[in-house]
Amino acid sequence: MNGPGRGTPPRRLVVLRHAKSAWPDGVPDHERPLAPRGLRDAPAAGRALAEAGCVPDLALCSTAVRARGTWELAAAEWDTPPPVRFDPRLYGAVARELLEVVHETPAEVGTLLLVGHNPGLEELVLDLAGDGPGEALAEVRLKFPTSAIAVLAWYGPGWRSLAPGTALLTSMTVPRGRKPREG
């Protein structure tokens, strides 16, 4: 990770894979909704981000229905949700394309949330992470499941300076919501 600069806090890129989606017959991939498990896990992701102090300053979200639903349910868990930009370029993007979108982030944004899809998100996390504590990198290499959250920290004057190998993967979690109790 780049060294600290003049006492400035590190920037954080929070990567959230959309929650579990349904596969209804005849529904195009872009329009697939969240499955019941996704409807439980997306709010759990929002709570996990709040508890970790990772509520973003700005969110970038894929236009796919399942990503938008994940964003809406996660953000509903925060007192003051940040602005969100729904960007069609995030749907189906590979790591290089995702990084190009991240590079457009205004310099005043300290924590950025990226809500999207695999395999692009997993590739992005692995490309950017020069290092990580414990088993976090190994976990991402093994699997970056639905609702997974990876937090990358790095120092830089602006988002354009984020490059492969320059960030530290500080955490990787997979929040799960609870099933409702039956009668």
Side-chain angles (χ1 to χ4, degrees):
M1 182 164 89
N2 293 335
R6 298 186 189 169
T8 59
R11 295 179 185 277
R12 292 184 300 182
L13 175 61
V14 180
V15 178
L16 170 60
R17 183 175 174 200
H18 67 77
K20 183 73 174 169
S21 59
W23 294 84
D25 288 338
V27 175
D29 184 72
H30 189 272
E31 305 307 313
R32 289 178 28 229
L34 291 175
R37 188 176 94 197
L39 294 170
R40 292 189 307 267
D41 291 350
R47 288 189 298 276
L49 288 170
E51 290 166 6
C54 283
V55 174
D57 302 313
L58 174 67
L60 302 176
C61 184
S62 163
T63 55
V65 169
R66 60 193 179 275
R68 292 175 70 105
T70 300
W71 156 253
E72 290 164 2
L73 291 169
E77 297 295 318
W78 307 327
D79 292 335
T80 306
V84 60
R85 294 182 186 157
F86 296 102
D87 193 322
R89 297 175 294 172
L90 300 178
Y91 175 71
V94 297
R96 177 187 48 78
E97 295 165 326
L98 292 168
L99 187 55
E100 288 171 4
V101 175
V102 168
H103 281 166
E104 297 171 7
T105 302
E108 62 271 11
V109 172
T111 299
L112 176 67
L113 173 65
L114 186 61
V115 184
H117 313 270
N118 257 3
L121 291 182
E122 180 178 329
E123 293 167 357
L124 179 68
V125 171
L126 294 174
D127 284 355
L128 294 176
D131 200 3
E135 298 296 315
L137 272 173
E139 288 178 36
V140 174
R141 283 187 192 104
L142 180 63
K143 187 175 184 184
F144 196 66
T146 55
S147 299
I149 301 169
V151 179
L152 295 146
W154 61 283
Y155 292 92
W159 290 91
R160 285 208 166 278
S161 64
L162 180 59
T166 61
L168 173 69
L169 178 62
T170 62
S171 68
M172 196 291 233
T173 58
V174 185
R176 295 290 185 216
R178 296 184 183 194
K179 290 184 180 181
R181 296 180 118 178
E182 292 186 20

